[in-house]
Amino acid sequence: MTLITFDEHHQVFHLSNKTISYIIGLERAAYLSHLYFGKAIKKYHNSRQYPLIDRSFSPNPAGLPLKTRDFSLDVIPQEMPSHGHGDFRNPAVQIKQVNGSSITDFVYDSYEIIAGKPALKGLPATYVESDSEAETLVITLVDHLLDLTLKLSYTIFADRQVIVRNSFLENKGQESVIIEKIASASLDLVSQDLELISLAGRHNKEREIERQTVQRGTRIIDSKRGSSSHQANPFIALVSPKTDEFTGTAIGLALVYSGNHEMLVERDQFEQTRVMAGINPFGFEWELAPSQSFQSPEALLVFSDQGLNGMSQTFHDVLQKRLARGKFKHADRPILINNWEATYFDFNTDKIKAIVDGAADLGIELFVLDDGWFGKREDDTSGLGDWFENRDKLSGGLAGISDYVHGKNMSFGLWFEPEMVNADSDLYRTHPDYALQIPNRSISTSRDQYVLDFSRKDIRETIIARMRHILDTVNIDYIKWDMNRSLTEVYSSTLGSANQGEVFHRYVLGLYEMLETLTTEYDHILWEGCSGGGGRFDPGFLYYMPQSWTSDNTDAVERLDIQYGTSLLYPISSMGSHVSVVPNHQTHRVTGLDIRGDVAMSGVFGYELNVQDMTVADKVTVSEQVAFYKQHRQLLQYGKFYRLVSPFETSHAAWLFVNPDKSQAIAFYFRKFAESAGPLHTIKFAGLDPEKVYQVNGEASYGGDELMHVGIYLDPFMVGDYQSRKFVIDEVKN
């Protein structure tokens, strides 16, 4: 199947499969213009050729015929705009030269069409399993004065509604240049009414859905914290004003990167909208010497004409099947219990064994020993960096705990925070220079810890060696990789003064190199990402670790918002979700075990509590939850996910999982607050086969069309706040 064509006559590139088209034009045989991204068209006949019109105060580039005023870079939609030749909008690329100028003029040189999708060296990226499933267009632009080559890559899959983009810059000149900005993707959309959706948040309240009208000016969604952050996920969507979960158009843009990012939306004076994504230019400068190159991270562009659910389902499919890797990307994820909220730092061998005993009796499959097992770690002020087991706490050591857990037919997991160090640690006392710090300035603390300079290979190798010792001597099945602060005093002693703008990105590249090493060497281990919960929940990390801890906030009511927002981009199989004790440790709210279980089952399921403190009745409920999840685990972790009712718009929430042949579905309904003499509510399902007949919860039977279009009443006899209901929907076999 041919996915990419070039029309020589109209000078147009057309990337198309059965569902989407992405069209790029050549203006004046020099400048790349963005023509279209949307629903597939069979053949493009030049319908979107930009009208030639004289716009006041919009300059005309040199080299055009004398007195021609009807062409300006200030107005045409572009693919990779630079600054200084008449386009006054935000640039996608800025290069500082020896003479102090940051003006470039990248013009078209050539193109190449490649079967499959090339890998990105040193960066996480989507991949193909055979060259037949995708094609890649590489367009080469050249700045002839500087002898710089900019290669723009566009990959289209045969059966997915996504375009994958990246930028690659080569210095073929004789002098070094400084990259001040290089976007991974940029495109300009024609005048139309649009709304911007982003995932804003904070620690313990990550990825809230924020929606606003796109107006003239610039809106930037970014992180300057050194990680993708709790505050601003590297994702945005541009949608038509009436787009909802099931109808309307949406363009989703996600960056496969775990560091400082910038997602930029600008509406110009003619109501055209520029959207781009890439490394945040704030605090970024990269020296590119002659013969050197720079690879940008990858960006994913998704189009949907079936609302936000359609956009999300494409993202889920791509991230789950063509970004996540390894044996666990499709495997059943175990039900775990973590001792953190049960004990915090106050534990010993007997306490841990008691939790393991209780968990094993309930059918839980994985025990995770959290923070506090190493060094002199009695609280969060000491010990980080000293990755040696504390035998004063664990009399038989980690191997003894691991053996005990495995003896209960459970798997054993362990917590690490490899990127951090406490001042009160042997590592810091021996190597104070290992921490990020600026000469002659004090170092900020956060959670009483410093950040190790992972831009330095010697530091990474030191930590890897200490982790290897543990991983090679203890039978470990799961690792939770945590990161509990943002980066400050970002300066590296191994780089010169002119290269300090590289530290943020070199830190991320160093981290990726370390993750690649460890997850490849120990590919039998299930790795889970964490950063104070969801502070580094991004596509980049998903490449190395198939799941992440969604939030430190385990309150079921708060988790409705967090998990609903997270699902806008991320698959359910990537979302760690646990039941914890009440009153909840973050909100002090008291909720029933049923709603806590139903919310947690809508992710990778687990518990964070001490089962020894539970009542007999609660233990029975947990056993039932565990059994239900095991029975339906494949559907809940990998089924097609539909959001039905938004907790951001109502005091209710609902979502649904459907298996591939539509023979089974499971829906969850949640009510936050009861109403006095309130209205009766119905629930309409989605994704079923309208020709099939289904039984709901083993009782009444309905047609698939009836369940989707008519719906059923919710239980009118639900009592009180914080209620939930499950609906198991099974096809009735004739």
PDB file of all heavy atoms in Angstrom, residues 433-440 451-456 487-504:
ATOM      1  N   ASP A 433      30.182  16.791  44.922  1.00  0.00           N
ATOM      2  CA  ASP A 433      30.115  17.350  43.569  1.00  0.00           C
ATOM      3  C   ASP A 433      29.125  16.615  42.677  1.00  0.00           C
ATOM      4  O   ASP A 433      28.819  17.082  41.570  1.00  0.00           O
ATOM      5  CB  ASP A 433      31.505  17.286  42.916  1.00  0.00           C
ATOM      6  CG  ASP A 433      31.992  15.845  42.751  1.00  0.00           C
ATOM      7  OD1 ASP A 433      32.109  15.144  43.773  1.00  0.00           O
ATOM      8  OD2 ASP A 433      32.243  15.431  41.602  1.00  0.00           O
ATOM      9  N   TYR A 434      28.601  15.467  43.118  1.00  0.00           N
ATOM     10  CA  TYR A 434      27.646  14.712  42.310  1.00  0.00           C
ATOM     11  C   TYR A 434      26.302  15.426  42.168  1.00  0.00           C
ATOM     12  O   TYR A 434      25.547  15.153  41.243  1.00  0.00           O
ATOM     13  CB  TYR A 434      27.406  13.327  42.921  1.00  0.00           C
ATOM     14  CG  TYR A 434      28.435  12.274  42.541  1.00  0.00           C
ATOM     15  CD1 TYR A 434      29.661  12.624  41.973  1.00  0.00           C
ATOM     16  CD2 TYR A 434      28.176  10.924  42.748  1.00  0.00           C
ATOM     17  CE1 TYR A 434      30.596  11.659  41.634  1.00  0.00           C
ATOM     18  CE2 TYR A 434      29.100   9.939  42.412  1.00  0.00           C
ATOM     19  CZ  TYR A 434      30.309  10.310  41.854  1.00  0.00           C
ATOM     20  OH  TYR A 434      31.220   9.343  41.525  1.00  0.00           O
ATOM     21  N   ALA A 435      25.978  16.313  43.094  1.00  0.00           N
ATOM     22  CA  ALA A 435      24.685  17.002  43.050  1.00  0.00           C
ATOM     23  C   ALA A 435      24.730  18.167  42.067  1.00  0.00           C
ATOM     24  O   ALA A 435      25.764  18.841  41.924  1.00  0.00           O
ATOM     25  CB  ALA A 435      24.311  17.509  44.434  1.00  0.00           C
ATOM     26  N   LEU A 436      23.625  18.412  41.382  1.00  0.00           N
ATOM     27  CA  LEU A 436      23.505  19.621  40.573  1.00  0.00           C
ATOM     28  C   LEU A 436      23.692  20.837  41.478  1.00  0.00           C
ATOM     29  O   LEU A 436      23.016  20.971  42.501  1.00  0.00           O
ATOM     30  CB  LEU A 436      22.124  19.684  39.917  1.00  0.00           C
ATOM     31  CG  LEU A 436      21.839  18.754  38.740  1.00  0.00           C
ATOM     32  CD1 LEU A 436      20.376  18.868  38.334  1.00  0.00           C
ATOM     33  CD2 LEU A 436      22.741  19.051  37.547  1.00  0.00           C
ATOM     34  N   GLN A 437      24.610  21.737  41.093  1.00  0.00           N
ATOM     35  CA  GLN A 437      24.887  22.907  41.920  1.00  0.00           C
ATOM     36  C   GLN A 437      25.668  23.926  41.112  1.00  0.00           C
ATOM     37  O   GLN A 437      26.384  23.593  40.169  1.00  0.00           O
ATOM     38  CB  GLN A 437      25.678  22.516  43.159  1.00  0.00           C
ATOM     39  CG  GLN A 437      26.988  21.808  42.864  1.00  0.00           C
ATOM     40  CD  GLN A 437      27.596  21.193  44.116  1.00  0.00           C
ATOM     41  OE1 GLN A 437      28.099  21.899  44.989  1.00  0.00           O
ATOM     42  NE2 GLN A 437      27.518  19.861  44.202  1.00  0.00           N
ATOM     43  N   ILE A 438      25.503  25.180  41.509  1.00  0.00           N
ATOM     44  CA  ILE A 438      26.207  26.287  40.874  1.00  0.00           C
ATOM     45  C   ILE A 438      27.364  26.693  41.775  1.00  0.00           C
ATOM     46  O   ILE A 438      27.178  26.852  42.987  1.00  0.00           O
ATOM     47  CB  ILE A 438      25.250  27.470  40.645  1.00  0.00           C
ATOM     48  CG1 ILE A 438      24.110  27.042  39.708  1.00  0.00           C
ATOM     49  CG2 ILE A 438      25.992  28.666  40.057  1.00  0.00           C
ATOM     50  CD1 ILE A 438      23.003  28.057  39.586  1.00  0.00           C
ATOM     51  N   PRO A 439      28.564  26.848  41.233  1.00  0.00           N
ATOM     52  CA  PRO A 439      29.717  27.206  42.068  1.00  0.00           C
ATOM     53  C   PRO A 439      29.439  28.447  42.923  1.00  0.00           C
ATOM     54  O   PRO A 439      28.891  29.443  42.448  1.00  0.00           O
ATOM     55  CB  PRO A 439      30.826  27.480  41.041  1.00  0.00           C
ATOM     56  CG  PRO A 439      30.441  26.651  39.854  1.00  0.00           C
ATOM     57  CD  PRO A 439      28.940  26.668  39.816  1.00  0.00           C
ATOM     58  N   ASN A 440      29.775  28.324  44.187  1.00  0.00           N
ATOM     59  CA  ASN A 440      29.692  29.431  45.154  1.00  0.00           C
ATOM     60  C   ASN A 440      28.268  29.842  45.495  1.00  0.00           C
ATOM     61  O   ASN A 440      28.057  30.902  46.096  1.00  0.00           O
ATOM     62  CB  ASN A 440      30.475  30.654  44.643  1.00  0.00           C
ATOM     63  CG  ASN A 440      31.924  30.327  44.345  1.00  0.00           C
ATOM     64  OD1 ASN A 440      32.586  29.653  45.145  1.00  0.00           O
ATOM     65  ND2 ASN A 440      32.420  30.766  43.194  1.00  0.00           N
ATOM     66  N   VAL A 451      19.477  16.777  43.652  1.00  0.00           N
ATOM     67  CA  VAL A 451      19.374  16.025  42.402  1.00  0.00           C
ATOM     68  C   VAL A 451      20.769  15.657  41.920  1.00  0.00           C
ATOM     69  O   VAL A 451      21.654  16.514  41.830  1.00  0.00           O
ATOM     70  CB  VAL A 451      18.663  16.857  41.314  1.00  0.00           C
ATOM     71  CG1 VAL A 451      18.502  16.033  40.035  1.00  0.00           C
ATOM     72  CG2 VAL A 451      17.311  17.351  41.808  1.00  0.00           C
ATOM     73  N   LEU A 452      20.969  14.397  41.618  1.00  0.00           N
ATOM     74  CA  LEU A 452      22.244  13.962  41.054  1.00  0.00           C
ATOM     75  C   LEU A 452      22.365  14.450  39.611  1.00  0.00           C
ATOM     76  O   LEU A 452      21.376  14.507  38.878  1.00  0.00           O
ATOM     77  CB  LEU A 452      22.353  12.438  41.098  1.00  0.00           C
ATOM     78  CG  LEU A 452      22.459  11.813  42.493  1.00  0.00           C
ATOM     79  CD1 LEU A 452      22.375  10.287  42.388  1.00  0.00           C
ATOM     80  CD2 LEU A 452      23.756  12.222  43.186  1.00  0.00           C
ATOM     81  N   ASP A 453      23.572  14.785  39.210  1.00  0.00           N
ATOM     82  CA  ASP A 453      23.819  15.299  37.868  1.00  0.00           C
ATOM     83  C   ASP A 453      23.883  14.149  36.875  1.00  0.00           C
ATOM     84  O   ASP A 453      24.950  13.633  36.551  1.00  0.00           O
ATOM     85  CB  ASP A 453      25.125  16.106  37.849  1.00  0.00           C
ATOM     86  CG  ASP A 453      25.411  16.721  36.484  1.00  0.00           C
ATOM     87  OD1 ASP A 453      24.588  16.522  35.566  1.00  0.00           O
ATOM     88  OD2 ASP A 453      26.452  17.385  36.342  1.00  0.00           O
ATOM     89  N   PHE A 454      22.713  13.755  36.368  1.00  0.00           N
ATOM     90  CA  PHE A 454      22.659  12.628  35.449  1.00  0.00           C
ATOM     91  C   PHE A 454      23.118  12.994  34.043  1.00  0.00           C
ATOM     92  O   PHE A 454      23.094  12.145  33.145  1.00  0.00           O
ATOM     93  CB  PHE A 454      21.247  12.040  35.418  1.00  0.00           C
ATOM     94  CG  PHE A 454      21.048  10.895  36.375  1.00  0.00           C
ATOM     95  CD1 PHE A 454      21.824  10.783  37.510  1.00  0.00           C
ATOM     96  CD2 PHE A 454      20.084   9.924  36.138  1.00  0.00           C
ATOM     97  CE1 PHE A 454      21.650   9.728  38.398  1.00  0.00           C
ATOM     98  CE2 PHE A 454      19.900   8.863  37.007  1.00  0.00           C
ATOM     99  CZ  PHE A 454      20.688   8.765  38.143  1.00  0.00           C
ATOM    100  N   SER A 455      23.537  14.220  33.821  1.00  0.00           N
ATOM    101  CA  SER A 455      24.214  14.514  32.558  1.00  0.00           C
ATOM    102  C   SER A 455      25.617  13.911  32.553  1.00  0.00           C
ATOM    103  O   SER A 455      26.233  13.804  31.494  1.00  0.00           O
ATOM    104  CB  SER A 455      24.281  16.027  32.324  1.00  0.00           C
ATOM    105  OG  SER A 455      25.222  16.646  33.195  1.00  0.00           O
ATOM    106  N   ARG A 456      26.111  13.514  33.731  1.00  0.00           N
ATOM    107  CA  ARG A 456      27.458  12.939  33.866  1.00  0.00           C
ATOM    108  C   ARG A 456      27.391  11.417  33.849  1.00  0.00           C
ATOM    109  O   ARG A 456      26.709  10.799  34.675  1.00  0.00           O
ATOM    110  CB  ARG A 456      28.115  13.414  35.163  1.00  0.00           C
ATOM    111  CG  ARG A 456      28.501  14.866  35.148  1.00  0.00           C
ATOM    112  CD  ARG A 456      29.034  15.337  36.494  1.00  0.00           C
ATOM    113  NE  ARG A 456      30.078  14.476  37.040  1.00  0.00           N
ATOM    114  CZ  ARG A 456      30.702  14.715  38.203  1.00  0.00           C
ATOM    115  NH1 ARG A 456      30.387  15.804  38.911  1.00  0.00           N
ATOM    116  NH2 ARG A 456      31.624  13.881  38.632  1.00  0.00           N
ATOM    117  N   LEU A 487      14.080  19.957  39.329  1.00  0.00           N
ATOM    118  CA  LEU A 487      15.495  20.312  39.209  1.00  0.00           C
ATOM    119  C   LEU A 487      15.702  21.805  39.467  1.00  0.00           C
ATOM    120  O   LEU A 487      14.992  22.642  38.911  1.00  0.00           O
ATOM    121  CB  LEU A 487      16.020  19.969  37.807  1.00  0.00           C
ATOM    122  CG  LEU A 487      16.484  18.532  37.562  1.00  0.00           C
ATOM    123  CD1 LEU A 487      15.375  17.526  37.801  1.00  0.00           C
ATOM    124  CD2 LEU A 487      17.026  18.382  36.142  1.00  0.00           C
ATOM    125  N   THR A 488      16.653  22.107  40.329  1.00  0.00           N
ATOM    126  CA  THR A 488      17.099  23.485  40.561  1.00  0.00           C
ATOM    127  C   THR A 488      18.625  23.520  40.491  1.00  0.00           C
ATOM    128  O   THR A 488      19.277  22.477  40.461  1.00  0.00           O
ATOM    129  CB  THR A 488      16.641  24.009  41.934  1.00  0.00           C
ATOM    130  OG1 THR A 488      17.157  23.139  42.969  1.00  0.00           O
ATOM    131  CG2 THR A 488      15.126  24.057  42.037  1.00  0.00           C
ATOM    132  N   GLU A 489      19.183  24.749  40.473  1.00  0.00           N
ATOM    133  CA  GLU A 489      20.638  24.905  40.362  1.00  0.00           C
ATOM    134  C   GLU A 489      21.192  24.020  39.239  1.00  0.00           C
ATOM    135  O   GLU A 489      22.128  23.231  39.427  1.00  0.00           O
ATOM    136  CB  GLU A 489      21.346  24.578  41.693  1.00  0.00           C
ATOM    137  CG  GLU A 489      21.137  25.588  42.779  1.00  0.00           C
ATOM    138  CD  GLU A 489      19.767  25.475  43.454  1.00  0.00           C
ATOM    139  OE1 GLU A 489      19.375  24.349  43.811  1.00  0.00           O
ATOM    140  OE2 GLU A 489      19.086  26.517  43.619  1.00  0.00           O
ATOM    141  N   VAL A 490      20.571  24.155  38.085  1.00  0.00           N
ATOM    142  CA  VAL A 490      20.897  23.272  36.961  1.00  0.00           C
ATOM    143  C   VAL A 490      22.187  23.762  36.314  1.00  0.00           C
ATOM    144  O   VAL A 490      22.207  24.686  35.496  1.00  0.00           O
ATOM    145  CB  VAL A 490      19.732  23.219  35.960  1.00  0.00           C
ATOM    146  CG1 VAL A 490      20.084  22.321  34.781  1.00  0.00           C
ATOM    147  CG2 VAL A 490      18.473  22.724  36.654  1.00  0.00           C
ATOM    148  N   TYR A 491      23.269  23.116  36.697  1.00  0.00           N
ATOM    149  CA  TYR A 491      24.624  23.468  36.260  1.00  0.00           C
ATOM    150  C   TYR A 491      25.467  22.218  36.417  1.00  0.00           C
ATOM    151  O   TYR A 491      25.347  21.492  37.412  1.00  0.00           O
ATOM    152  CB  TYR A 491      25.163  24.605  37.137  1.00  0.00           C
ATOM    153  CG  TYR A 491      26.531  25.126  36.749  1.00  0.00           C
ATOM    154  CD1 TYR A 491      26.661  26.298  36.008  1.00  0.00           C
ATOM    155  CD2 TYR A 491      27.693  24.466  37.143  1.00  0.00           C
ATOM    156  CE1 TYR A 491      27.917  26.804  35.669  1.00  0.00           C
ATOM    157  CE2 TYR A 491      28.953  24.955  36.804  1.00  0.00           C
ATOM    158  CZ  TYR A 491      29.051  26.123  36.074  1.00  0.00           C
ATOM    159  OH  TYR A 491      30.298  26.623  35.735  1.00  0.00           O
ATOM    160  N   SER A 492      26.313  21.952  35.437  1.00  0.00           N
ATOM    161  CA  SER A 492      27.163  20.772  35.509  1.00  0.00           C
ATOM    162  C   SER A 492      28.628  21.175  35.516  1.00  0.00           C
ATOM    163  O   SER A 492      29.075  21.942  34.650  1.00  0.00           O
ATOM    164  CB  SER A 492      26.896  19.840  34.324  1.00  0.00           C
ATOM    165  OG  SER A 492      27.727  18.694  34.404  1.00  0.00           O
ATOM    166  N   SER A 493      29.373  20.638  36.457  1.00  0.00           N
ATOM    167  CA  SER A 493      30.793  20.983  36.596  1.00  0.00           C
ATOM    168  C   SER A 493      31.631  20.447  35.438  1.00  0.00           C
ATOM    169  O   SER A 493      32.768  20.887  35.245  1.00  0.00           O
ATOM    170  CB  SER A 493      31.336  20.433  37.917  1.00  0.00           C
ATOM    171  OG  SER A 493      31.221  19.016  37.957  1.00  0.00           O
ATOM    172  N   THR A 494      31.108  19.524  34.661  1.00  0.00           N
ATOM    173  CA  THR A 494      31.884  18.935  33.565  1.00  0.00           C
ATOM    174  C   THR A 494      31.681  19.665  32.242  1.00  0.00           C
ATOM    175  O   THR A 494      32.306  19.313  31.249  1.00  0.00           O
ATOM    176  CB  THR A 494      31.511  17.458  33.381  1.00  0.00           C
ATOM    177  OG1 THR A 494      30.117  17.355  33.069  1.00  0.00           O
ATOM    178  CG2 THR A 494      31.800  16.662  34.647  1.00  0.00           C
ATOM    179  N   LEU A 495      30.809  20.657  32.215  1.00  0.00           N
ATOM    180  CA  LEU A 495      30.573  21.431  31.000  1.00  0.00           C
ATOM    181  C   LEU A 495      31.097  22.843  31.167  1.00  0.00           C
ATOM    182  O   LEU A 495      31.086  23.397  32.277  1.00  0.00           O
ATOM    183  CB  LEU A 495      29.074  21.479  30.664  1.00  0.00           C
ATOM    184  CG  LEU A 495      28.416  20.150  30.284  1.00  0.00           C
ATOM    185  CD1 LEU A 495      26.914  20.339  30.119  1.00  0.00           C
ATOM    186  CD2 LEU A 495      29.022  19.574  29.015  1.00  0.00           C
ATOM    187  N   GLY A 496      31.544  23.440  30.079  1.00  0.00           N
ATOM    188  CA  GLY A 496      32.053  24.798  30.121  1.00  0.00           C
ATOM    189  C   GLY A 496      30.934  25.812  30.270  1.00  0.00           C
ATOM    190  O   GLY A 496      29.747  25.502  30.161  1.00  0.00           O
ATOM    191  N   SER A 497      31.320  27.056  30.494  1.00  0.00           N
ATOM    192  CA  SER A 497      30.342  28.116  30.725  1.00  0.00           C
ATOM    193  C   SER A 497      29.423  28.314  29.525  1.00  0.00           C
ATOM    194  O   SER A 497      28.260  28.701  29.680  1.00  0.00           O
ATOM    195  CB  SER A 497      31.063  29.428  31.052  1.00  0.00           C
ATOM    196  OG  SER A 497      31.924  29.809  29.983  1.00  0.00           O
ATOM    197  N   ALA A 498      29.920  28.053  28.326  1.00  0.00           N
ATOM    198  CA  ALA A 498      29.110  28.259  27.124  1.00  0.00           C
ATOM    199  C   ALA A 498      28.126  27.124  26.883  1.00  0.00           C
ATOM    200  O   ALA A 498      27.286  27.224  25.978  1.00  0.00           O
ATOM    201  CB  ALA A 498      30.019  28.412  25.905  1.00  0.00           C
ATOM    202  N   ASN A 499      28.217  26.055  27.679  1.00  0.00           N
ATOM    203  CA  ASN A 499      27.395  24.873  27.420  1.00  0.00           C
ATOM    204  C   ASN A 499      26.409  24.555  28.536  1.00  0.00           C
ATOM    205  O   ASN A 499      25.811  23.482  28.539  1.00  0.00           O
ATOM    206  CB  ASN A 499      28.291  23.658  27.180  1.00  0.00           C
ATOM    207  CG  ASN A 499      29.233  23.844  26.012  1.00  0.00           C
ATOM    208  OD1 ASN A 499      30.423  24.093  26.203  1.00  0.00           O
ATOM    209  ND2 ASN A 499      28.702  23.762  24.804  1.00  0.00           N
ATOM    210  N   GLN A 500      26.233  25.482  29.469  1.00  0.00           N
ATOM    211  CA  GLN A 500      25.333  25.196  30.589  1.00  0.00           C
ATOM    212  C   GLN A 500      23.872  25.129  30.155  1.00  0.00           C
ATOM    213  O   GLN A 500      23.039  24.526  30.842  1.00  0.00           O
ATOM    214  CB  GLN A 500      25.533  26.226  31.699  1.00  0.00           C
ATOM    215  CG  GLN A 500      26.896  26.145  32.381  1.00  0.00           C
ATOM    216  CD  GLN A 500      27.174  24.777  32.987  1.00  0.00           C
ATOM    217  OE1 GLN A 500      26.292  24.149  33.577  1.00  0.00           O
ATOM    218  NE2 GLN A 500      28.412  24.303  32.834  1.00  0.00           N
ATOM    219  N   GLY A 501      23.539  25.720  29.015  1.00  0.00           N
ATOM    220  CA  GLY A 501      22.183  25.605  28.491  1.00  0.00           C
ATOM    221  C   GLY A 501      21.845  24.222  27.981  1.00  0.00           C
ATOM    222  O   GLY A 501      20.703  23.966  27.559  1.00  0.00           O
ATOM    223  N   GLU A 502      22.819  23.332  27.986  1.00  0.00           N
ATOM    224  CA  GLU A 502      22.604  21.959  27.525  1.00  0.00           C
ATOM    225  C   GLU A 502      22.251  21.003  28.657  1.00  0.00           C
ATOM    226  O   GLU A 502      21.855  19.861  28.414  1.00  0.00           O
ATOM    227  CB  GLU A 502      23.866  21.455  26.815  1.00  0.00           C
ATOM    228  CG  GLU A 502      24.295  22.307  25.630  1.00  0.00           C
ATOM    229  CD  GLU A 502      25.616  21.866  25.017  1.00  0.00           C
ATOM    230  OE1 GLU A 502      26.103  20.765  25.385  1.00  0.00           O
ATOM    231  OE2 GLU A 502      26.171  22.596  24.182  1.00  0.00           O
ATOM    232  N   VAL A 503      22.381  21.453  29.919  1.00  0.00           N
ATOM    233  CA  VAL A 503      22.316  20.515  31.046  1.00  0.00           C
ATOM    234  C   VAL A 503      20.937  19.872  31.182  1.00  0.00           C
ATOM    235  O   VAL A 503      20.821  18.660  31.393  1.00  0.00           O
ATOM    236  CB  VAL A 503      22.727  21.213  32.359  1.00  0.00           C
ATOM    237  CG1 VAL A 503      22.639  20.234  33.535  1.00  0.00           C
ATOM    238  CG2 VAL A 503      24.141  21.765  32.250  1.00  0.00           C
ATOM    239  N   PHE A 504      19.871  20.669  31.075  1.00  0.00           N
ATOM    240  CA  PHE A 504      18.528  20.094  31.198  1.00  0.00           C
ATOM    241  C   PHE A 504      18.343  18.922  30.232  1.00  0.00           C
ATOM    242  O   PHE A 504      17.886  17.841  30.620  1.00  0.00           O
ATOM    243  CB  PHE A 504      17.467  21.154  30.902  1.00  0.00           C
ATOM    244  CG  PHE A 504      17.026  21.972  32.093  1.00  0.00           C
ATOM    245  CD1 PHE A 504      17.166  23.348  32.081  1.00  0.00           C
ATOM    246  CD2 PHE A 504      16.455  21.367  33.203  1.00  0.00           C
ATOM    247  CE1 PHE A 504      16.743  24.112  33.161  1.00  0.00           C
ATOM    248  CE2 PHE A 504      16.021  22.129  34.289  1.00  0.00           C
ATOM    249  CZ  PHE A 504      16.172  23.507  34.261  1.00  0.00           C
TER     250      PHE A 504
END
